[in-house]
Amino acid sequence: MPVVRLYYQDMERLIGASRETIMSRLAMMGADIGKRAEEEYVDVEFFPDRPDLYSSEGVARAMQGFLGIKTDLVSYSVSPGPVVVQVEESIKSVRPLIGCAVVRGLEFTDEAIESLMGLQEDLHWGLGRNRRKVAIGVHDISRVRPPFRYFGESPQRRFVPLDYSEEMTMEEILHNHPKGKDYGHILKDCPVYPLIVDADDRVLSFPPIINGELTSVTEETEDLFIDVTGTDPVVHKALNIVVTSLAERGGKIESVLVKRSEGDFLSPDLSPASWKVRTEEANRLIGFDLTGAELAECLKRMRFGAVTAGEEMDDIVVVQVPAYRADIMHSWDIFEDAAKAYGYDNLEARLPQTVTVGRAHSSEVRKGEIREIMAGLGYLETMPFTLTNELVHFQWMRRSAAPEAAGAVRVLHPISELHTILRTSLLSSLLEIFALNQHHPLPQRIFAAGDVVKDKKTRMNLAAASIHSGANYSEIRSVVDAVLREMDLEADIVPTKDRAFMPGRGADLFAEGKRIGCFGELHPLLLRSFGLEQPAVGLEIEWGELEQ
């Protein structure tokens, strides 16, 4: 999750409250307080669903309302500006969407620059899916001359990228520049690359990779041009978050005319979205007993605009959602903010209406037995993520079946390319852990016992893996025999066709005619995919299936 560094003096200035008051209430707004430097700053972690809080300005704006210093909807004025961006047809098949703005009259401090750069990178991660959907460019507009062009350019176009002193072709940037190495895959197989240039054909930005050195931002910068490009309409939400954060620093927002074949538009659009919510539904969901007027006041403290629909319609509250809030998708999202403003600490403690005695679920009892067995065999327990991705889970494991054919459940709206499906097995996760721990001494022996999901059904698996120079079939076979014996289970061992294992050095486990596991020496090509340089063996048993 994004970590925002808040400097105490900066926050006191932005919020208008003392450090003690801010710190006493910050956690109640949904923040996880982390590392502190007692006299300088505090690191605060926010959930990915609140990208408007990824900057000190966004946190200050929210805290002003939460503390009752400034409530109600923030109104940002957008003045008509002279800057024009021409979007050419050549870019439409590569990275078609763009939003732009100009923010003038800024006074940058070290803290302000750090906050802006941190916001930019966190939005790339949170909204942008590592820049695939959204990439943000921030430029000193005083160094270039509008109008600007956004178009598809030859990979051989040369310019000086940010933090470099010599020209490179865009193709060279993808292979040699650190940002090109990190994000060049986004433009793989593209015949042209996105580029933004000024009236003199000087490069501002090569999205989503790197800006030009020409427009780098310094402490002397006063006026900014901001471009947000991407493949999803969320580019406009990202733009709104950036420009409103800068406006909290005193910046004056100017619109940019974006000209394109399907119709011109002014950017940014900071008009709020209108919702109607029912007080009765809010009370039922969050457990309070608020009137319509009280619900509206709570929402004002969370920087919404809110009024009741009238005396005869007190149950209905008309809500204005600010343009920088990208997380409001349902009325329940609004009610959650109302509950924060009212205060979870105001909930009355009540005794449960039923009296019961708890006991461990049978699957947890069994899991405890498995943990004890594996620990006795010298294996260390790990708890890998339930979410994974097709590349690691299937391609790297040399299991080429399509995810759907293998029974994998896809995540509808993944926040990262690393987490796109629910795991159907555990072994690949253990190999990822090996890859991350190659700086530790060998041998390494680890296991995981937990849920997997196949065909929309949850099952329980055990996986174990060992890596060291002498890892072989005999080692993992002895572990399988010990596990089956200690679990009082019987299974037939037959040669496997699983390509994750070396031919002739892997086996399947069958019980009552069902394949319930596999084990063996892992294939060298598989190990290479994970970046492992030592032999490794592994096993996986569907012990939830065995008990049925």
Side-chain angles (χ1 to χ4, degrees):
M1 293 189 292
V3 176
V4 181
R5 177 157 293 181
L6 306 177
Y7 290 91
Y8 294 127
Q9 291 186 357
D10 191 39
M11 293 304 292
E12 288 175 336
R13 184 168 58 254
L14 288 171
I15 296 173
S18 68
R19 177 194 313 182
E20 292 73 21
T21 300
I22 295 169
M23 294 306 298
S24 67
R25 298 298 294 168
L26 187 57
M28 299 303 295
M29 199 176 67
D32 186 9
I33 309 298
K35 172 185 172 186
R36 301 190 191 195
E38 205 58 43
E39 296 303 319
E40 294 184 38
Y41 64 81
V42 60
D43 288 340
V44 182
E45 195 171 28
F46 290 99
F47 285 108
D49 66 340
R50 287 296 303 273
D52 58 298
L53 299 180
Y54 291 177
S55 67
S56 54
E57 298 85 6
V59 175
R61 175 177 54 209
M63 282 300 297
Q64 283 182 324
F66 196 65
L67 296 173
I69 298 171
K70 291 182 181 179
T71 61
D72 215 331
L73 184 73
V74 186
S75 179
Y76 297 101
S77 61
V78 181
S79 303
V83 177
V84 175
V85 173
Q86 178 68 54
V87 180
E88 299 186 1
E89 289 296 319
S90 56
I91 196 61
K92 297 298 179 65
S93 62
V94 180
R95 199 169 183 86
L97 301 182
I98 185 169
C100 304
V102 173
V103 183
R104 299 189 186 275
L106 292 163
E107 293 183 10
F108 275 117
T109 61
D110 289 341
E111 293 86 356
I113 292 177
E114 182 178 336
S115 178
L116 177 59
M117 297 302 106
L119 173 63
Q120 184 179 1
E121 288 308 311
D122 286 339
L123 289 176
H124 283 159
W125 174 82
L127 290 181
R129 305 296 190 266
N130 279 339
R131 304 195 188 191
R132 184 177 293 276
K133 285 190 174 182
V134 171
I136 303 165
V138 179
H139 313 275
D140 186 335
I141 196 172
S142 67
R143 303 182 183 182
V144 288
R145 191 167 65 90
F148 304 129
R149 285 194 303 137
Y150 179 46
F151 65 107
E153 177 63 290
S154 163
Q156 301 308 311
R157 171 67 182 263
R158 304 180 68 87
F159 72 96
V160 180
L162 189 64
D163 297 329
Y164 273 56
S165 58
E166 296 182 359
E167 285 190 347
M168 303 171 68
T169 68
M170 293 198 287
E171 190 170 30
E172 288 172 342
I173 290 172
L174 296 189
H175 292 96
N176 300 324
H177 194 286
K179 294 298 183 183
K181 293 177 182 178
D182 289 342
Y183 304 108
H185 63 276
I186 299 173
L187 299 177
K188 184 180 180 182
D189 300 327
C190 291
V192 294
Y193 292 163
L195 201 66
I196 301 175
V197 300
D198 75 345
D200 298 319
D201 203 37
R202 295 177 295 177
V203 174
L204 281 74
S205 180
F206 170 23
I209 311 301
I210 192 72
N211 288 345
E213 176 65 20
L214 175 67
T215 58
S216 60
V217 177
T218 67
E219 289 187 12
E220 286 72 43
T221 299
E222 296 181 353
D223 302 332
L224 293 179
F225 172 71
I226 300 157
D227 71 83
V228 185
T229 64
T231 59
D232 189 284
V234 76
V235 298
H236 301 293
K237 285 292 184 184
L239 177 65
N240 291 347
I241 291 170
V242 174
V243 297
T244 55
S245 294
L246 292 171
E248 294 293 328
R249 291 275 181 189
K252 307 300 180 184
I253 305 171
E254 285 185 5
S255 63
V256 172
L257 177 61
V258 180
K259 299 177 72 67
R260 52 182 187 166
S261 58
E262 57 267 40
D264 303 347
F265 67 95
L266 287 174
S267 175
D269 179 3
L270 297 182
S271 56
S274 184
W275 289 68
K276 287 185 179 179
V277 298
R278 302 188 70 88
T279 308
E280 184 272 332
E281 184 185 9
N283 288 330
R284 185 176 70 250
L285 184 68
I286 60 182
F288 297 153
D289 187 19
L290 304 175
T291 65
E294 289 171 334
L295 177 60
E297 285 303 312
C298 287
L299 293 174
K300 287 180 181 179
R301 289 184 58 198
M302 301 304 287
R303 309 313 300 265
F304 294 95
V307 294
T308 58
E311 292 184 5
E312 298 181 359
M313 302 180 68
D314 182 66
D315 185 55
I316 297 177
V317 177
V318 179
V319 182
Q320 298 294 311
V321 177
Y324 56 79
R325 289 295 296 268
D327 60 308
I328 305 300
M329 302 178 184
H330 193 280
S331 58
W332 294 359
D333 298 317
I334 296 173
F335 300 153
E336 180 185 11
D337 268 22
K340 291 178 184 177
Y342 185 80
Y344 291 118
D345 50 339
N346 289 324
L347 284 169
E348 295 182 7
R350 298 178 185 175
L351 290 172
Q353 298 300 305
T354 57
V355 179
T356 59
V357 177
R359 61 183 176 87
H361 191 276
S362 58
S363 65
E364 290 301 316
V365 173
R366 189 60 158 164
K367 192 184 295 184
E369 295 171 354
I370 289 172
R371 287 180 175 135
E372 192 169 340
I373 293 168
M374 296 308 299
L377 292 170
Y379 282 70
L380 180 69
E381 184 176 13
T382 63
M383 300 181 68
F385 291 129
T386 304
L387 296 176
T388 182
N389 60 81
E390 296 93 330
L391 178 66
V392 171
H393 210 56
F394 295 104
Q395 293 183 36
W396 287 8
M397 290 297 292
R398 290 169 50 82
R399 292 165 175 166
S400 57
E404 289 79 5
V409 176
R410 289 190 180 275
V411 178
L412 183 59
H413 299 296
I415 65 169
S416 167
E417 292 179 348
L418 301 176
H419 304 131
T420 56
I421 59 173
L422 293 173
R423 65 189 183 191
T424 62
S425 63
L426 300 173
L427 189 55
S428 62
S429 298
L430 300 186
L431 299 179
E432 283 189 284
I433 293 173
F434 281 157
L436 293 170
N437 286 275
Q438 296 186 69
H439 56 290
H440 288 295
L442 300 178
Q444 294 177 23
R445 295 184 174 95
I446 59 177
F447 80 96
D451 298 350
V452 300
V453 179
K454 277 187 178 181
D455 300 318
K456 302 180 182 179
K457 293 182 180 179
T458 302
R459 306 162 192 245
M460 309 297 287
N461 277 24
L462 162 68
S466 171
I467 183 169
H468 57 94
S469 60
N472 57 32
Y473 177 85
S474 298
E475 175 189 352
I476 199 65
R477 170 64 189 265
S478 66
V479 174
V480 171
D481 288 341
V483 170
L484 293 177
R485 181 179 66 250
E486 295 299 322
M487 292 174 67
D488 194 24
L489 299 170
E490 293 185 2
D492 296 325
I493 298 175
V494 301
T496 185
K497 295 181 180 179
D498 192 333
R499 296 175 66 245
F501 302 104
M502 293 181 64
R505 300 186 189 181
D508 288 334
L509 295 171
F510 278 82
E512 299 180 0
K514 292 182 180 179
R515 182 180 184 270
I516 49 80
C518 58
F519 67 93
E521 293 186 30
L522 295 169
H523 199 285
L525 293 178
L526 178 151
L527 298 177
R528 183 184 299 173
S529 295
F530 285 91
L532 300 174
E533 298 178 353
Q534 296 289 339
V537 293
L539 71 87
E540 185 146 7
I541 300 174
E542 298 176 358
W543 57 270
E545 284 281 59
L546 282 168
E547 293 186 331
Q548 293 179 358

